[in-house]
Structures are given as C-alpha cells and as structure tokens.
Amino acid sequence: MDRCINLQQLLNLQELNVSRCGELEEITVPESKEAFLGDPKENPTKWLGDPIIRRISYIKNLEKNFQNLNVKANVLYSRRDDIKGEISRPGSKGTATNECENWLKEVERLQDKVNVIEKEYHEEEKCLMGWCPDVSLRLKLGKRVVESTNSIIDLLEKSASWVGGVVVDAPTKIAEPVPAPTIERNTSTDRTLQKILGCIKDIKKQKIGIWGMGGVGKTTVMENLNNSLEITQLFEIVIWVTVSKGWSLRNVQNEIAKRLSLNLGSDESNENMRRRIYQKLKRKKFILLLDDMWEKIELDNVGIPHLNQENGSKVVLTTRRQQVCKSMDTYEEIKVDILSEEEAWKLFQRKVGDVVTYPSIQSLAKDVVKECHGLPLAIIVVGASLRKEEDVHVWKNALDELRLPTTSDIEDMEEQVFKRLKFSFDRLNNDNTKNCFLKLTIEV
C-alpha cells in the first residue's frame, strides 16, 4: 500500500510528529507545487516566500543538502588550516588580525554544529531504513543543514574579502627579558639597583652612568634593571645593547633597529639607518641601556633623539671607567662596589654547597673567599670549580694557587679577577672543556 502524506499534515509539519508509518496511508501529496500555490507567473511572491515550499524542500532535499554541507565544510576547514599555517609560519614575527581571530573562533563554533548535525543525520538514516521517519525532526534537521551551509558560505566570502591579509606585525614588547641572577633584598647590589631606579624617576636626570671594575656586578644590575616591572611602567620601550670593546657604530645601530623591528638592508648606509631609528624613536618614551661601554658614543650619530624632560626618555650605561661616564655627559655616576665580607661568604656558600661548613674545610674556604676580594664574578667562578669538593688537600692547593703573585700587566683591580679566572681555567680537565670555558658568558 502507498505510504504518503496529506496536504493538511504538511501545512502543520512543525506540530506533526509521526512515529508510525501506518498513520500516513491513503493520503496523497499533490504532484506539483502548482497544486499548492497556483501558477507561479500569476503569484510569484507567494512562490518565492512561502514557508511551505521551504519546509518541503528541507525534507525532500535533506540528503542532497547534507552532501553539499559536507563539501562546503571541507572547503572551509582547508581555508582555516591555510590561515593558521600562515600565522604560525616559521620565522614569522606577526600575529593574527582581530578580524582573523574572530573568524577562526566562528569557524570552530560552526564546526561543532556541523559535527552534531552529522551525528543526527546518520541516526535519521537508520530510522528511514526501518520506514519510521520522524517528519518533524527531519524538517528541523533539514533546516539546520541549510542554515549551516549558508553560514559556511558567508565565512568563506568573508575570508576571501580580506584586503590587508590575516597577519599584522606583532606589537613590540615594552621589554625583552634577559636571563639574570636574582638580587637578594637589602644587599649592596640591591641598594645599587634602587639608587639607579631613583635616578631614572628623577625627571632632571636623562643620562645615568654605572661604573666599577670588571667582575663587580655591573651587568647583573643592568639585567635586573631591564627586567624590572617598574621600568615597564615608566617607558614605552626598553632597548638593551651590549656595546663591548670592539664596538662599531653600525653594530649599535643594528641592535637598536632589531629591537624596533626595522627591516635592515645589507647595503643601507649608516646615515639612512640613523634617520630611520630617529623617526621610530622621536615620538616614543624610551630607555636605552648601553652595557659594557669602553669609550664615548655619539648618540646623535646612532639616531637617538635628544633627551629632555619633555619626552622623558633616558639613557643608562655601564663602564669600567668613570671617565667614560663623564664623556657621555651623565647627570649621575653610580659606582658599583665590591661585596661585603658577609655577602661574599653567602654567595660562595651557595656556589660550593654545604661542604664549606665541614670543620676541616671551613677555615680554608673563608681564606679562599678573602682572596676573591669581594668580586662576584671571581667568587662565582672559584666557587663553581670547588663545588662539593671534600678533599682538604685540594682546598689547600687552591688557596696556594690563588695567593701566587702574577706577572700580568693588567690593571690592579682587574688583575684580581684575572687571577681567579685563571685558577678555575687551570683546574679544567681537558682542552675541549677549556675552550668552552673561554667561550661561555658567565652570569654574575
């Protein structure tokens, strides 16, 4: 017997919930849409907008519409994957635009909906095999299939209309953190750092110089200054440059340009780079940290705008010689002093370990610390070479070596660091380790 649906039931499909096929017997559906709505030429508006036609289409074309949904969804997912690949491309320093981020979130939400539809569709297929369709649920499912397909089309059209691309330059961080030893509170190093921060907050002091002998901890102070929360709250950007003895104007410019995300041309002149740096910095409140300076640098030649109270920008430099500070017209020169005996002993204990408390070693250990003359770098290096050493003879030999006179012509204070480094270097077991020692940058 034919299994059909009558017209009145179709007109009330939203309320219809047929669970047994027998209820549909002896009822026929008109053979054409004209039977419902008449001649389309005479009443086109009714044809185009009538909800009954749409409802019939949701039910009749469910299989075809579901296949179309899957095709469109796969195109959308491929587009999404391409966009994610562009954003995460190796070497890319950009980030997704806000519009692109929102688009990706919409795609994820829509994919969840499509997954639910797919599950319900396959359940509906099983029901049809038993000739027991739930017409109301089939109608709702068909409608969601069409709506989701339209949403996919909208998202594809939106992504195709992006003019500026999906990636923009990532915003420059105020400061790029550098590895730095922790400074304990109420130590001489901490007091030096706080003094520098006080000078930075003084609007009358645009240039601050930090000076002291090699190995005394100037770079440690500078690293902690770079990483401090207070600095990020005072400036729009923090720029770190390690100058070193063999510096050049172009190297300094390159480091600053890199921090400012300026693209560098290999054939670009120093003068052109100078103008570009100036243009980038002139409207920013910046702080420039110049570590390990050996002589005067003309900041104007680098491209650094004139510092004044109005723009609030600052320059902080470290050097071994106070004269370099004065040549840079610093408003304040802060000397980094050696550690006190107590601070030196605590640092040495941390590096060597509990072995320094052994009765047979403690007095030798304290004499070794005295030979380091309060220099953090010397204490760290010597301490590392004696770490967990329990042999008293090794400690005695170490002390004797540290007390040997040197024939080096290095300046008196720096000579102390040199002797301690040489002691640690000589204790290394093989040439490869010694080469690594020479290449390593030691944190102080």
Side-chain angles (χ1 to χ4, degrees):
M1 187 176 294
D2 294 334
R3 302 172 184 274
C4 305
I5 306 173
N6 74 3
L7 177 58
Q8 185 58 45
Q9 285 176 305
L10 280 173
L11 293 173
N12 298 285
L13 280 175
Q14 287 180 319
E15 289 77 31
L16 182 62
N17 187 2
V18 181
S19 58
R20 291 182 295 106
C21 299
E23 295 181 7
L24 305 179
E25 295 178 0
E26 299 179 355
I27 303 172
T28 60
V29 178
E31 295 179 356
S32 67
K33 299 173 186 176
E34 286 84 346
F36 283 107
L37 304 175
D39 189 343
K41 294 181 180 179
E42 296 180 1
N43 200 348
T45 303
K46 188 173 182 182
W47 260 77
L48 292 174
D50 194 273
I52 302 301
I53 298 299
R54 289 199 302 271
R55 292 174 186 174
I56 294 174
S57 176
Y58 292 151
I59 298 172
K60 179 181 178 182
N61 300 321
L62 177 60
E63 289 77 12
K64 182 176 71 174
N65 289 341
F66 179 74
Q67 292 174 3
N68 186 43
L69 172 65
N70 277 331
V71 171
K72 290 287 192 293
N74 288 331
V75 174
L76 179 67
Y77 302 155
S78 296
R79 173 64 174 150
R80 175 201 58 196
D81 294 342
D82 288 343
I83 289 173
K84 285 185 174 181
E86 185 176 348
I87 294 169
S88 59
R89 186 177 68 252
S92 173
K93 295 182 179 180
T95 183
T97 63
N98 290 334
E99 183 181 20
C100 179
E101 287 282 6
N102 292 333
W103 184 89
L104 289 171
K105 291 176 183 177
E106 287 185 50
V107 172
E108 296 304 319
R109 286 194 292 267
L110 185 55
Q111 185 174 16
D112 291 338
K113 292 181 180 179
V114 172
N115 290 340
V116 172
I117 288 174
E118 184 175 2
K119 181 179 178 181
E120 292 181 8
Y121 175 80
H122 291 308
E123 289 176 353
E124 202 270 344
E125 270 188 324
K126 294 177 183 178
C127 182
L128 283 179
M129 292 296 291
W131 287 84
C132 302
D134 187 325
V135 178
S136 178
L137 290 180
R138 186 175 172 86
L139 166 65
K140 293 175 182 177
L141 179 60
K143 182 180 180 181
R144 285 162 55 210
V145 167
V146 172
E147 290 175 344
S148 295
T149 303
N150 290 336
S151 296
I152 289 174
I153 293 172
D154 289 342
L155 287 171
L156 286 170
E157 290 177 351
K158 185 182 292 185
S159 68
S161 67
W162 288 335
V163 177
V166 300
V167 178
V168 293
D169 290 337
T172 303
K173 295 179 181 177
I174 295 177
E176 288 187 343
V178 296
T182 302
I183 295 178
E184 293 187 14
R185 292 181 62 83
N186 300 319
T187 60
S188 58
T189 308
D190 180 54
R191 288 189 289 272
T192 299
L193 177 59
Q194 296 308 316
K195 187 174 182 180
I196 296 167
L197 285 168
C199 291
I200 290 172
K201 294 174 184 177
D202 188 338
I203 62 173
K204 296 178 181 179
K205 298 175 180 178
Q206 278 76 53
K207 296 179 187 175
I208 299 117
I210 306 168
W211 69 282
M213 64 163 296
V216 80
K218 301 182 298 297
T219 298
T220 293
V221 173
M222 198 76 136
E223 289 168 340
N224 279 270
L225 179 65
N226 177 87
N227 296 348
S228 70
L229 178 61
E230 289 180 80
I231 286 295
T232 60
Q233 294 172 340
L234 292 171
F235 299 95
E236 295 177 57
I237 186 169
V238 181
I239 305 170
W240 174 287
V241 178
T242 300
V243 182
S244 300
K245 196 169 187 177
W247 75 282
S248 70
L249 175 63
R250 188 50 180 260
N251 286 343
V252 173
Q253 287 180 322
N254 284 346
E255 289 301 309
I256 296 173
K258 193 184 301 180
R259 183 70 181 89
L260 298 174
S261 300
L262 293 174
N263 294 323
L264 308 176
S266 57
D267 57 346
E268 196 163 2
S269 67
N270 291 349
E271 179 58 29
N272 190 54
M273 183 61 70
R274 170 180 174 265
R275 287 195 294 268
R276 292 179 64 193
I277 291 173
Y278 175 82
Q279 291 297 325
K280 195 79 171 180
L281 287 178
K282 69 178 183 178
R283 291 186 178 86
K284 287 184 179 292
K285 185 180 180 183
F286 64 88
I287 182 168
L288 175 62
L289 307 180
L290 299 171
D291 188 43
D292 194 21
M293 283 183 57
W294 288 76
E295 59 184 312
K296 180 179 180 179
I297 295 177
E298 294 290 350
L299 297 179
D300 180 62
N301 292 342
V302 177
I304 305 302
H306 178 67
L307 307 175
N308 53 52
Q309 295 184 24
E310 284 70 32
N311 59 37
S313 295
K314 308 273 183 174
V315 169
V316 182
L317 62 95
T318 69
T319 179
R320 297 185 181 190
R321 299 173 177 83
Q322 187 179 17
Q323 185 55 41
V324 175
C325 296
K326 293 180 178 178
S327 70
M328 292 293 294
D329 299 324
T330 51
Y331 290 78
E332 181 97 11
E333 293 91 39
I334 301 172
K335 184 179 181 182
V336 181
D337 290 317
I338 60 175
L339 300 179
S340 66
E341 287 188 21
E342 181 182 357
E343 291 170 344
W345 176 246
K346 286 182 178 179
L347 178 59
F348 191 71
Q349 280 185 301
R350 289 203 302 272
K351 291 299 174 182
V352 178
D354 293 338
V355 68
V356 297
T357 63
Y358 293 2
S360 59
I361 292 176
Q362 188 173 46
S363 61
L364 290 168
K366 289 192 174 182
D367 287 339
V368 168
V369 173
K370 288 179 182 178
E371 290 301 317
C372 293
H373 298 281
L375 300 171
L377 178 56
I379 294 169
I380 289 171
V381 172
V382 173
S385 68
L386 292 169
R387 182 168 179 77
K388 297 183 178 179
E389 180 59 66
E390 298 181 0
D391 191 329
V392 175
H393 295 291
V394 172
W395 279 90
K396 287 180 178 179
N397 290 336
L399 183 58
D400 290 340
E401 287 185 46
L402 290 171
R403 285 173 172 171
L404 286 174
T406 178
T407 57
S408 171
D409 59 357
I410 304 173
E411 294 181 7
D412 291 344
M413 291 296 286
E414 294 180 1
E415 180 181 334
Q416 306 302 328
V417 177
F418 176 80
K419 287 171 62 178
R420 277 75 201 161
L421 292 176
K422 185 177 183 301
F423 161 78
S424 298
F425 180 80
D426 290 341
R427 284 177 55 80
L428 298 175
N429 296 325
N430 56 63
D431 291 339
N432 287 336
T433 308
K434 288 181 177 181
N435 288 333
C436 291
F437 180 92
L438 293 174
K439 293 177 181 179
L440 285 175
T441 299
I442 302 170
E443 295 180 358
V444 291

